[in-house]
Amino acid sequence: MFQKEIAVSDGGDGFDGCIEVVQRTRGYRRWPDEAKARIVAESFQPGVRVVDIARRHGLVAHQLSDWRRRARLGKLVLPADTM
């Protein structure tokens, strides 16, 4: 996902500020199970927020939450030292 800020001057409508334009990448990105497991393990560390870990790795929070759910159900194997 690419982000770009555009400065907007008052065009007569009273708005003077910036607009953030977010361009999404096309297609789905495939994550190997090893990478998913590493990211999920990082998200299970005490004191971290799912949204922060997701953002750091270019994910949306609900995607990481789904991976975490799969790990709790045993459908995604995590490194032994994680749990």
Side-chain angles (χ1 to χ4, degrees), residues 13-71:
D13 61 0
F15 179 79
D16 187 21
C18 288
I19 297 174
E20 184 177 2
V21 177
V22 177
Q23 297 174 329
R24 297 210 174 261
T25 57
R26 290 197 169 148
Y28 293 100
R29 195 157 95 188
R30 296 236 180 239
W31 290 86
D33 285 341
E34 297 82 21
K36 289 180 190 178
R38 183 178 40 80
I39 294 168
V40 168
E42 184 180 344
S43 75
F44 281 139
Q45 297 302 314
V48 300
R49 296 184 329 155
V50 170
V51 68
D52 294 334
I53 302 300
R55 187 176 297 134
R56 182 177 358 203
H57 292 284
L59 301 167
V60 289
H62 71 83
Q63 183 177 18
L64 178 52
S65 294
D66 183 58
W67 293 354
R68 288 166 50 99
R69 180 184 56 77
R70 290 182 57 218

